[in-house]
Amino acid sequence: MSKLGNKAIYIPKETTVKIESGKITLTGPKGIRELNINDKIFSTNVSKDNYLLLEPISKNNEVKKFWGTTRSIVNSAIIGVSKGYEKVLEMNGVGHRAALKGESLNLQLGFSHETLYKIPVGIKITVDKQTIIKIFGIDKQLVGTVAAHIKSLKPVEPYKGKGIKEKGQYVLRKEGKKK
């Protein structure tokens, strides 16, 4: 038995779930999301007290491997359309700045040139105080991927802590050269 797959998924009041053959449509205040679920492996139904149940049709070892993962994907989608996901990035270093230019994020990272990052569809980015970047979206995977790609443009170096990091991320600092 899957410990995570057995748990029912709570559906908030402002979120609606529509189940068709192999497709779950989630509608909430933040947006609309569609998920494809193999209806030959899993059966889905909504209980009277607003819980979504995901049950395997046959409980063999192959199906148990996908049960918890599928439940987590559906739960993340429900949280995404009701509350949304947010990542906050901080920039440290002299001359490190960020600004929005239309559909792209303009980053000055201490290089001789500006770095442009095209913002994907479904993601909203805001810049506060030129050094704090906030990434919003309803897709947890897409928000994390965008944050990881922006962080990879200028990783934090361990000596002075310059670069792009997530808010609250611990950076192991090294001692510099001694005289």
Side-chain angles (χ1 to χ4, degrees):
M1 286 304 240
S2 171
K3 292 180 183 178
L4 188 60
N6 279 330
K7 293 183 181 179
I9 303 167
Y10 176 69
I11 303 169
K13 291 179 182 175
E14 65 271 0
T15 306
T16 59
V17 176
K18 185 178 175 186
I19 300 170
E20 294 175 355
S21 60
K23 188 178 277 189
I24 297 178
T25 306
L26 306 166
T27 308
K30 299 288 183 181
I32 298 171
R33 187 99 195 270
E34 286 188 358
L35 297 173
N36 292 324
I37 292 183
N38 192 344
D39 55 350
K40 295 178 179 129
I41 299 175
F42 297 109
S43 66
T44 55
N45 53 8
V46 179
S47 65
K48 294 175 185 173
D49 50 344
N50 261 4
Y51 282 95
L52 179 70
L53 300 170
L54 186 71
E55 291 289 326
I57 294 173
S58 64
K59 294 184 179 178
N60 58 24
N61 287 335
E62 293 297 317
V63 173
K64 287 180 190 178
K65 293 177 186 177
F66 301 115
W67 191 10
T69 305
T70 306
R71 187 242 179 231
S72 293
I73 291 170
V74 172
N75 188 36
S76 294
I78 288 175
I79 292 170
V81 296
S82 61
K83 297 177 188 172
Y85 289 100
E86 175 187 25
K87 292 253 186 186
V88 180
L89 303 179
E90 297 173 340
M91 299 173 70
N92 294 328
V94 177
H96 288 54
R97 285 186 287 258
L100 289 172
K101 281 191 177 178
E103 292 295 316
S104 62
L105 180 67
N106 184 9
L107 299 167
Q108 294 176 347
L109 302 171
F111 302 129
S112 62
H113 58 279
E114 296 176 343
T115 305
L116 288 175
Y117 179 75
K118 188 174 182 316
I119 302 172
V121 176
I123 294 292
K124 183 183 175 212
I125 294 181
T126 60
V127 177
D128 297 342
K129 297 190 276 185
Q130 293 184 342
T131 58
I132 297 175
I133 303 167
K134 292 185 179 179
I135 305 166
F136 303 99
I138 62 171
D139 189 355
K140 184 178 186 179
Q141 181 180 359
L142 186 59
V143 170
T145 304
V146 168
H149 191 267
I150 292 173
K151 282 178 10 180
S152 71
L153 295 174
K154 183 74 174 189
V156 179
E157 54 96 15
Y159 295 102
K160 292 186 178 179
K162 294 180 181 180
I164 304 173
K165 65 174 185 155
E166 281 189 42
K167 185 176 184 182
Q169 177 183 343
Y170 178 73
V171 177
L172 182 65
R173 299 288 297 270
K174 292 183 180 178
E175 187 176 342
K177 202 158 105 176
K178 294 181 183 178
K179 290 185 178 183

